[in-house]
Amino acid sequence: MGARRSVRFLARSAAGVLAAAAVTVGVTVPASAAPLWPGGPDISLPPIPGITAPAPGVPTPPVAPPAPVEAPRGPANFSAPALNPSAGEVVGVAQPIIVRFAAPIDDRAAAERAIDVTTSAGDVAGRFFWFSDSQVRWRPDVFWPANTTVTVTAGDASSTFTVGDAIVTTADDDTKTITVTRNGEVVRTMPTSMGKVGHETPNGTYIVGERFRDMYMDSSTYGVPVDAPEGYRTYVEYATRMSNSGIFVHAAPWSVDSQGVENVSHGCLNVSTEDAKWFFETAQKGDPVVVQNTDGGILNGRDGLGDWQL
């Protein structure tokens, strides 16, 4: 955030001024030169504010810079907004911060100045992007550091949440395999079948959203009648959402023979019931799912869970 960058700049500036002053105190003059100040060597040097000259022969002690002053946030041009994640939540390393305002914002820059993000890991670079006049999001430039406490303050609203372990899932169409790592260590590999021709799964970094123990997947929800040639209404178990457009990791026992071999789904990541249950129980809100090497183009960043494409 801008305020945190200002703090670092002020700290460096203060240290630089003090260091320059300390060098001035330690200047030595050749014996043949005229004294710097008339009156002879027994005349005291002019005092430098904030620095006490040491006694002869005593080394100059290091001078600590003054504590930096946190730049204040700007005044809020909005009433208390809704914040996501909410206080006390544990989320994944790809989770964005979502600020929803009660009314449209006319001055977006002023609203951004009234929002502050701090973490237990120190400064984390990131940026805002607006979904509408009443919703702004903030995400780090790279995934959050694992096991970090984050506090977001927006006007009179505040939320402190925790980023948990770095659970990163990669689905590679070249190998038809899903690989899951926790804090850099591989914890599971799963054969998968992704979107078939005409329904290819888009590439990109998705974000784990809601989870359903079981549900019906219905093509009519995106405009394809159930009785159409590519229509369906299918009961599935252990469904973990990774896009608002309807892409899930879910159990597909009917396609086990194709998993790891060929793509037969309508875009979802089909896995066995055992693997789907494990993923359902392991993945957390905000975990990234990286899909790569498909022929499906790029996930729409405005999908709602596609923030990493923006």
Side-chain angles (χ1 to χ4, degrees):
M1 299 295 294
R4 301 189 65 84
R5 286 195 292 272
S6 297
V7 167
R8 294 200 299 273
F9 175 75
L10 290 172
R12 286 198 298 270
S13 298
V17 170
L18 290 169
V23 169
T24 302
V25 171
V27 169
T28 59
V29 182
S32 60
L36 294 176
W37 292 275
D42 57 341
I43 302 298
S44 300
L45 299 178
I48 299 174
I51 297 180
T52 302
V58 177
T60 302
V63 180
V69 178
E70 185 78 33
R73 296 193 312 276
N77 58 343
F78 49 81
S79 58
L83 301 178
N84 182 4
S86 58
E89 276 197 274
V90 179
V91 299
V93 295
Q95 176 66 41
I97 292 170
I98 304 171
V99 182
R100 293 186 175 91
F101 304 101
I105 300 296
D106 292 329
D107 189 339
R108 293 182 174 186
E112 291 178 11
R113 288 193 296 271
I115 300 171
D116 192 32
V117 178
T118 58
T119 84
S120 61
D123 286 340
V124 173
R127 62 190 181 90
F128 290 100
F129 46 97
W130 289 78
F131 262 48
S132 69
D133 286 340
S134 58
Q135 182 187 145
V136 66
R137 299 187 177 205
W138 190 96
R139 68 163 174 81
D141 291 338
V142 296
F143 293 158
W144 294 103
N147 302 305
T148 296
T149 300
V150 179
T151 297
V152 55
T153 304
D156 294 331
S158 181
S159 174
T160 296
F161 60 92
T162 301
V163 178
D165 286 347
I167 301 173
V168 179
T169 299
T170 302
D172 192 334
D173 197 21
D174 281 350
T175 61
K176 307 290 188 293
T177 301
I178 294 173
T179 303
V180 184
T181 63
R182 183 189 293 271
N183 300 327
E185 299 290 330
V186 175
V187 293
R188 198 172 185 97
T189 57
M190 302 177 282
T192 189
S193 179
M194 292 191 257
K196 61 186 177 180
V197 175
H199 299 272
E200 293 89 346
T201 309
N203 297 279
T205 299
Y206 298 69
I207 302 171
V208 168
E210 58 193 336
R211 291 167 290 173
F212 299 93
R213 170 60 183 82
D214 57 0
M215 65 181 295
Y216 279 94
M217 292 192 165
D218 191 328
S219 63
S220 65
T221 60
Y222 60 89
V224 178
V226 172
D227 56 359
E230 287 295 331
Y232 57 86
R233 188 171 189 274
T234 306
Y235 172 80
V236 301
E237 294 186 284
Y238 302 111
T240 301
R241 181 185 293 277
M242 50 186 273
S243 87
N244 278 348
S245 57
I247 300 177
F248 289 75
V249 178
H250 67 79
W254 58 86
S255 71
V256 167
D257 290 343
S258 297
Q259 293 165 19
V261 179
E262 61 179 340
N263 292 329
V264 298
S265 85
H266 285 85
C268 289
L269 276 57
N270 285 185
V271 294
S272 70
T273 301
E274 179 184 358
D275 285 338
K277 181 177 185 293
W278 179 90
F279 192 77
F280 174 89
E281 293 173 346
T282 302
Q284 58 193 353
K285 169 184 172 179
D287 284 345
V289 179
V290 181
V291 175
Q292 60 190 30
N293 297 319
T294 78
D295 294 326
I298 303 297
L299 173 67
N300 185 350
R302 311 292 294 188
D303 167 89
L305 292 172
D307 298 57
W308 290 89
Q309 275 56 249
L310 297 175

PDB file of all heavy atoms in Angstrom, residues 80-84 98-102 157:
ATOM      1  N   ALA A  80     -19.633   2.150   6.062  1.00  0.00           N
ATOM      2  CA  ALA A  80     -18.933   0.885   6.325  1.00  0.00           C
ATOM      3  C   ALA A  80     -19.318  -0.170   5.290  1.00  0.00           C
ATOM      4  O   ALA A  80     -20.489  -0.532   5.159  1.00  0.00           O
ATOM      5  CB  ALA A  80     -19.271   0.396   7.722  1.00  0.00           C
ATOM      6  N   PRO A  81     -18.347  -0.674   4.515  1.00  0.00           N
ATOM      7  CA  PRO A  81     -18.663  -1.656   3.470  1.00  0.00           C
ATOM      8  C   PRO A  81     -18.625  -3.085   4.013  1.00  0.00           C
ATOM      9  O   PRO A  81     -18.185  -3.337   5.144  1.00  0.00           O
ATOM     10  CB  PRO A  81     -17.528  -1.441   2.468  1.00  0.00           C
ATOM     11  CG  PRO A  81     -16.364  -1.046   3.330  1.00  0.00           C
ATOM     12  CD  PRO A  81     -16.932  -0.271   4.488  1.00  0.00           C
ATOM     13  N   ALA A  82     -19.066  -4.030   3.190  1.00  0.00           N
ATOM     14  CA  ALA A  82     -18.937  -5.455   3.515  1.00  0.00           C
ATOM     15  C   ALA A  82     -17.571  -5.931   3.038  1.00  0.00           C
ATOM     16  O   ALA A  82     -17.141  -5.606   1.926  1.00  0.00           O
ATOM     17  CB  ALA A  82     -20.044  -6.252   2.826  1.00  0.00           C
ATOM     18  N   LEU A  83     -16.885  -6.695   3.891  1.00  0.00           N
ATOM     19  CA  LEU A  83     -15.533  -7.156   3.588  1.00  0.00           C
ATOM     20  C   LEU A  83     -15.498  -8.675   3.466  1.00  0.00           C
ATOM     21  O   LEU A  83     -16.113  -9.392   4.249  1.00  0.00           O
ATOM     22  CB  LEU A  83     -14.557  -6.711   4.680  1.00  0.00           C
ATOM     23  CG  LEU A  83     -14.441  -5.205   4.921  1.00  0.00           C
ATOM     24  CD1 LEU A  83     -13.461  -4.928   6.063  1.00  0.00           C
ATOM     25  CD2 LEU A  83     -14.001  -4.484   3.656  1.00  0.00           C
ATOM     26  N   ASN A  84     -14.775  -9.157   2.479  1.00  0.00           N
ATOM     27  CA  ASN A  84     -14.575 -10.583   2.247  1.00  0.00           C
ATOM     28  C   ASN A  84     -13.091 -10.772   1.914  1.00  0.00           C
ATOM     29  O   ASN A  84     -12.601 -10.097   1.002  1.00  0.00           O
ATOM     30  CB  ASN A  84     -15.449 -11.040   1.079  1.00  0.00           C
ATOM     31  CG  ASN A  84     -15.346 -12.533   0.788  1.00  0.00           C
ATOM     32  OD1 ASN A  84     -14.680 -13.269   1.491  1.00  0.00           O
ATOM     33  ND2 ASN A  84     -15.993 -12.962  -0.281  1.00  0.00           N
ATOM     34  N   ILE A  98     -12.202  -8.521  -1.110  1.00  0.00           N
ATOM     35  CA  ILE A  98     -13.344  -7.965  -1.827  1.00  0.00           C
ATOM     36  C   ILE A  98     -14.048  -6.964  -0.923  1.00  0.00           C
ATOM     37  O   ILE A  98     -14.422  -7.287   0.201  1.00  0.00           O
ATOM     38  CB  ILE A  98     -14.318  -9.077  -2.264  1.00  0.00           C
ATOM     39  CG1 ILE A  98     -13.583 -10.136  -3.105  1.00  0.00           C
ATOM     40  CG2 ILE A  98     -15.500  -8.498  -3.024  1.00  0.00           C
ATOM     41  CD1 ILE A  98     -14.414 -11.372  -3.401  1.00  0.00           C
ATOM     42  N   VAL A  99     -14.198  -5.739  -1.418  1.00  0.00           N
ATOM     43  CA  VAL A  99     -14.868  -4.676  -0.672  1.00  0.00           C
ATOM     44  C   VAL A  99     -16.126  -4.298  -1.437  1.00  0.00           C
ATOM     45  O   VAL A  99     -16.054  -3.842  -2.582  1.00  0.00           O
ATOM     46  CB  VAL A  99     -13.951  -3.447  -0.504  1.00  0.00           C
ATOM     47  CG1 VAL A  99     -14.649  -2.369   0.322  1.00  0.00           C
ATOM     48  CG2 VAL A  99     -12.623  -3.837   0.140  1.00  0.00           C
ATOM     49  N   ARG A 100     -17.290  -4.502  -0.804  1.00  0.00           N
ATOM     50  CA  ARG A 100     -18.574  -4.171  -1.435  1.00  0.00           C
ATOM     51  C   ARG A 100     -19.184  -2.971  -0.718  1.00  0.00           C
ATOM     52  O   ARG A 100     -19.413  -3.013   0.497  1.00  0.00           O
ATOM     53  CB  ARG A 100     -19.531  -5.361  -1.375  1.00  0.00           C
ATOM     54  CG  ARG A 100     -19.087  -6.554  -2.233  1.00  0.00           C
ATOM     55  CD  ARG A 100     -20.150  -7.647  -2.251  1.00  0.00           C
ATOM     56  NE  ARG A 100     -19.809  -8.739  -3.142  1.00  0.00           N
ATOM     57  CZ  ARG A 100     -19.142  -9.831  -2.773  1.00  0.00           C
ATOM     58  NH1 ARG A 100     -18.745  -9.963  -1.511  1.00  0.00           N
ATOM     59  NH2 ARG A 100     -18.869 -10.773  -3.645  1.00  0.00           N
ATOM     60  N   PHE A 101     -19.440  -1.923  -1.471  1.00  0.00           N
ATOM     61  CA  PHE A 101     -19.965  -0.683  -0.914  1.00  0.00           C
ATOM     62  C   PHE A 101     -21.495  -0.668  -0.982  1.00  0.00           C
ATOM     63  O   PHE A 101     -22.093  -1.258  -1.889  1.00  0.00           O
ATOM     64  CB  PHE A 101     -19.399   0.519  -1.670  1.00  0.00           C
ATOM     65  CG  PHE A 101     -17.899   0.571  -1.688  1.00  0.00           C
ATOM     66  CD1 PHE A 101     -17.189   0.154  -2.808  1.00  0.00           C
ATOM     67  CD2 PHE A 101     -17.197   1.017  -0.582  1.00  0.00           C
ATOM     68  CE1 PHE A 101     -15.805   0.195  -2.830  1.00  0.00           C
ATOM     69  CE2 PHE A 101     -15.814   1.069  -0.589  1.00  0.00           C
ATOM     70  CZ  PHE A 101     -15.107   0.649  -1.716  1.00  0.00           C
ATOM     71  N   ALA A 102     -22.100   0.060  -0.048  1.00  0.00           N
ATOM     72  CA  ALA A 102     -23.567   0.151  -0.010  1.00  0.00           C
ATOM     73  C   ALA A 102     -24.111   1.024  -1.125  1.00  0.00           C
ATOM     74  O   ALA A 102     -25.280   0.905  -1.498  1.00  0.00           O
ATOM     75  CB  ALA A 102     -24.014   0.689   1.350  1.00  0.00           C
ATOM     76  N   ALA A 157     -14.900  -0.056   8.653  1.00  0.00           N
ATOM     77  CA  ALA A 157     -14.988  -1.516   8.656  1.00  0.00           C
ATOM     78  C   ALA A 157     -13.595  -2.122   8.706  1.00  0.00           C
ATOM     79  O   ALA A 157     -12.641  -1.579   8.131  1.00  0.00           O
ATOM     80  CB  ALA A 157     -15.733  -2.015   7.425  1.00  0.00           C
TER      81      ALA A 157
END
